[in-house]
Amino acid sequence: LLNYLQYNLLRLSEPIRVLVTGAAGQIAYSLLFSIAKGDVFGKDQPVILLLLDITPMLPVLDGVVMELQDCALPLLRDIIPTDKEEVAFKDLDAAILVGSMPRKDGMERKDLLKANVAIFKSQGAALEKYAKKTVKVLVVGNPANTNCLIAAKSAPSIPKENFSCLTRLDHNRARSQVAMRCAVPATHVRNVIIWGNHSSTQYPDVHHCLVNMSGSELACFDAVKDDAWLKGDFIATVQQRGAAVIKARKLSSAMSAAKAICDHMRDIWTGTADGEFISMGVYSSGNSYGVPDDLIYSFPVQIKDKTWKIVEGLAINSFSQTKMDATAAELIEERDTAVAFLGV
């Protein structure tokens, strides 16, 4: 009877339309299966996957489609591979913008910005023209914060609160580093914060982090008992983790990035647990931390009813404030450079 009821619930549920860009790439290869089997939007939520990539990647994308079909997943109602924005962005409920121009040897950061500003201006305009106004947009492609800001500015009729960028991977990295140091599962560590940019200026902050040790929650500094590590090597490790993965794998983070995307979108869809906050890059518009307006900046947030809210009123010491200001300064410079490229 239970199986019969579940089957009928699936049959009656309206599928949601989910876009993944850069869909023939490494991150998407780890991501698409999790979305299609219900790990992100729910075990009773059918999905239609829209897969966008550049024209030369379409043969590879056809192989990805074959594999998704061969998984025989009950929630996956349709798969639409395309190189056309008007097809990919139509009537979207969720958009995960993974594809971006990667940084090549000898490329200056401003050159990377210039290439990506054009991509995300175009995708923002496509969201504006074709997607639902309720669409939830997650930008993953780097430089993620500024790409997200440009996409949001290029879709003026979609609320800026509907746009976010991925700093959950950094959040997960910070959580894991503390967990390993304390010899506890990562689930025993909560309320780490990533402030600012998804770059080497980001600030992984554990001043409000709690660690469950033998059944009782301790402040992170009391659990770790090594202030020098928490204020030094810990921060550097999280900031440089992406580069360390590239050095070891000769490829950028893919499995961990896909897991972080799943965590981020699942929390948007279903909310955060009581007493817990997570990190995501969101639009800065008036906050208690002195972060300038009109940036996509990573804050601690709580989510309910698909709406995020910055966790306000956390005590910030001078050590933290200096690092938060430094990453904001980098974001202001990136924003101003990007806007200059757009000529707006």
Side-chain angles (χ1 to χ4, degrees), residues 164-184:
S164 57
C165 84
L166 189 74
T167 56
R168 186 60 169 268
L169 177 52
D170 309 301
H171 180 100
N172 288 350
R173 287 165 170 165
R175 197 178 180 191
S176 176
Q177 288 296 316
V178 170
M180 288 189 291
R181 193 78 175 189
C182 295
V184 298

Side-chain angles (χ1 to χ4, degrees), residues 2-320:
L2 184 61
N3 285 343
Y4 175 77
L5 290 171
Q6 285 176 329
Y7 170 76
N8 277 295
L9 187 64
L10 285 179
R11 205 162 52 83
L12 294 170
S13 294
E14 192 69 28
I16 58 170
R17 295 171 65 88
V18 179
L19 166 66
V20 175
T21 72
Q26 272 212 100
I27 292 173
Y29 194 74
S30 290
L31 172 65
L32 291 169
F33 176 70
S34 293
I35 294 174
K37 79 180 180 74
D39 290 349
V40 180
F41 300 103
K43 299 294 185 187
D44 58 357
Q45 177 58 66
V47 294
I48 295 169
L49 282 176
L50 295 105
L51 308 181
L52 179 68
D53 216 313
I54 57 175
T55 308
M57 296 304 291
L58 288 181
V60 178
L61 196 53
D62 284 341
V64 174
V65 171
M66 287 183 225
E67 285 212 67
L68 282 166
Q69 291 167 339
D70 294 349
C71 289
L73 296 163
L75 291 171
L76 186 54
R77 291 297 164 81
D78 198 6
I79 314 163
I80 303 168
T82 184
D83 58 355
K84 295 178 174 58
E85 287 182 343
E86 63 269 24
V87 175
F89 286 83
K90 186 166 176 55
D91 296 332
L92 291 181
D93 296 284
I96 302 170
L97 307 184
V98 178
S100 65
M101 170 78 76
R103 191 167 184 169
K104 294 170 185 165
D105 279 346
M107 185 184 268
E108 296 287 331
R109 191 169 176 86
K110 69 178 190 302
D111 297 327
L112 183 69
L113 256 179
K114 189 171 187 176
N116 281 301
V117 161
I119 293 169
F120 284 86
K121 181 184 181 185
S122 175
Q123 294 191 347
L127 285 162
E128 173 77 8
K129 189 170 182 181
Y130 301 113
K132 294 177 181 175
K133 301 307 175 191
T134 53
V135 64
K136 300 296 184 184
V137 183
L138 168 57
V139 175
V140 179
N142 287 317
N145 298 59
T146 300
N147 287 344
C148 184
L149 184 66
I150 295 305
K153 286 177 177 292
S154 303
S157 72
I158 297 172
K160 289 203 169 37
E161 293 74 28
N162 288 23
F163 288 82
S164 57
C165 84
L166 189 74
T167 56
R168 186 60 169 268
L169 177 52
D170 309 301
H171 180 100
N172 288 350
R173 287 165 170 165
R175 197 178 180 191
S176 176
Q177 288 296 316
V178 170
M180 288 189 291
R181 193 78 175 189
C182 295
V184 298
T187 50
H188 286 209
V189 179
R190 65 185 176 100
N191 296 356
V192 301
I193 302 168
I194 303 296
W195 298 100
N197 200 1
H198 174 62
S199 76
S200 60
T201 69
Q202 65 173 263
Y203 171 42
D205 178 6
V206 290
H207 285 89
H208 307 280
C209 169
L210 298 169
V211 183
N212 187 321
M213 303 276 284
S214 305
S216 59
E217 280 197 323
L218 300 177
C220 184
F221 278 82
D222 294 334
V224 171
K225 297 190 179 72
D226 189 341
D227 290 16
W229 180 76
L230 285 171
K231 290 185 171 183
D233 286 351
F234 162 73
I235 292 172
T237 296
V238 176
Q239 288 174 335
Q240 302 293 336
R241 188 68 162 185
V245 170
I246 290 171
K247 188 176 178 183
R249 276 189 86 220
K250 311 296 183 265
L251 294 164
S252 58
S253 304
M255 185 197 317
S256 55
K259 164 63 165 55
I261 292 165
C262 291
D263 291 346
H264 180 118
M265 289 304 286
R266 185 189 63 247
D267 283 347
I268 287 177
W269 236 251
T270 60
T272 49
D274 287 345
E276 199 164 324
F277 45 79
I278 52 94
S279 306
M280 54 196 265
V282 296
Y283 190 68
S284 176
S285 177
N287 60 85
S288 63
Y289 301 112
V291 175
D293 288 353
D294 198 36
L295 297 174
I296 297 287
Y297 187 100
S298 183
F299 289 95
V301 301
Q302 292 174 315
I303 306 170
K304 189 176 180 183
D305 299 326
K306 295 186 185 174
T307 303
W308 56 261
K309 189 176 178 187
I310 293 171
V311 178
E312 297 283 10
L314 297 174
I316 304 296
N317 61 24
S318 58
F319 177 86
S320 294

